[in-house]
Amino acid sequence: MPDYTTLLVDEREDRLHVALDRPEVRNAIDATMVAELHDVCDRLEREPRILILSGTPATESRKGVFASGADIAQLRERRREEALAGINANVFIRIAQLPMPVIAALDGFALGGGAELALAADFRIGTPSLKIGQPETGLGITAGAGATWRLKEVVGEPLAKEILLAGRVLTADEALAARLITEVHESADLLDAAHALADRIAAQDPLAVRLTKTVFHAPREAHPAIDTLAQGILFESDAKFARMDAFLAKRASRTTKGNPA
């Protein structure tokens, strides 16, 4: 992997763990980080693997943080043309559309653009110290990188409006109750939990996972045709025959031993 300046990357055979690494500004998302995230997407579009996104881990002297938002110093200077270019929105769309699942491991602040980056993931898990929300209207702007439409799909319209229009910031317990996150772990255990989830995904057939993600995110009018096409592809795959043969052999073995379960 390239030698990034705002990201730390742990590369494995079936996954990439990408940690945002601007702790001096609470991992504020600046133009360099956006460019480096685009580079990560280039790699994962060519070589599909699971992506784990995290921030700066907690230490004895420092609280963990995912991302405090977009870099306000840079955001202050952007004008209409930069807004219309969708600088952050475009990279978050690429992350959401990656072939394999994306896991966001959230510790501490996940605010503004940090929350929108988390919303682009397929899975979100957090720590008890998580604070997640969209404070953009308090800064005189809107959440322009996905929250205005992704958030209500996840938590429903009433809560999404409270977060977007009234500046409500959710705690970990509130985010869990709203299903904005699905697991809560102590900071020291967060990455292990993210890798455990990645392990469960990696145990599935990769092509089946890729096609299921594609079908899941297809527009309503594309169904059932896209489901049928995906199944047609998978019905001819070597993995389908190997995995089903293994299942049948295991069941036959159990039946022979007098245990039909």
Side-chain angles (χ1 to χ4, degrees):
M1 296 294 293
D3 186 14
Y4 296 127
T5 60
T6 70
L7 306 175
L8 298 175
V9 179
D10 174 20
E11 183 174 12
R12 305 187 187 184
E13 183 178 356
D14 59 3
R15 73 197 66 171
L16 287 185
H17 169 210
V18 174
L20 310 184
D21 186 39
R22 299 187 73 212
E24 70 282 359
V25 289
R26 295 180 174 177
N27 294 334
I29 300 169
D30 68 349
T32 300
M33 184 180 288
V34 168
E36 293 180 351
L37 286 170
H38 272 297
D39 193 78
V40 169
C41 289
D42 285 340
R43 180 70 175 270
L44 292 175
E45 288 161 356
R46 294 193 308 268
E47 303 173 21
R49 281 179 281 180
I50 300 162
L51 173 62
I52 297 173
L53 290 169
S54 72
T56 304
T59 66
E60 290 185 2
S61 60
R62 181 181 63 198
K63 294 182 178 179
V65 61
F66 180 67
S68 59
D71 190 305
I72 301 300
Q74 289 190 2
L75 206 59
R76 167 65 179 77
E77 300 307 314
R78 290 180 186 172
R79 305 302 291 263
R80 179 177 56 213
E81 295 306 314
E82 286 88 356
L84 293 175
I87 294 171
N88 288 5
N90 288 333
V91 73
F92 296 168
I93 287 170
R94 285 188 78 182
I95 289 169
Q97 294 177 346
L98 286 171
M100 290 292 283
V102 180
I103 301 165
L106 311 175
D107 194 7
F109 291 120
L111 300 173
E116 290 179 301
L117 174 56
L119 283 168
D122 299 288
F123 303 91
R124 287 167 296 279
I125 63 176
T127 69
S129 66
L130 175 64
K131 298 289 188 296
I132 185 166
Q134 304 292 157
E136 284 87 351
T137 53
L139 295 171
I141 59 174
T142 188
T148 54
W149 50 280
R150 285 196 180 104
L151 191 57
K152 63 183 176 183
E153 293 176 353
V154 178
V155 304
E157 184 174 318
L159 181 55
K161 283 183 175 178
E162 191 173 356
I163 294 168
L164 290 164
L165 304 179
R168 180 175 174 181
V169 175
L170 301 185
T171 65
D173 287 342
E174 291 169 333
L176 183 65
R179 305 304 289 168
L180 184 52
I181 60 174
T182 55
E183 301 174 20
V184 176
H185 301 273
E186 294 298 326
S187 294
D189 302 322
L190 182 64
L191 284 181
D192 285 343
H195 281 291
L197 177 54
D199 289 341
R200 297 200 298 274
I201 297 168
Q204 314 306 310
D205 172 49
L207 181 59
V209 171
R210 288 180 60 182
L211 289 179
T212 299
K213 179 175 175 176
T214 299
V215 171
F216 185 93
H217 289 291
R220 176 65 180 83
E221 58 271 19
H223 301 276
I226 190 171
D227 305 67
T228 303
L229 289 171
Q231 196 74 299
I233 293 169
L234 291 169
F235 270 21
E236 296 294 328
S237 71
D238 291 341
K240 172 237 181 176
F241 292 102
R243 285 172 175 261
M244 288 190 177
D245 286 347
F247 174 86
L248 293 171
K250 186 175 182 180
R251 187 173 68 178
S253 175
R254 287 176 175 174
T255 302
T256 301
K257 295 177 180 178
N259 179 13

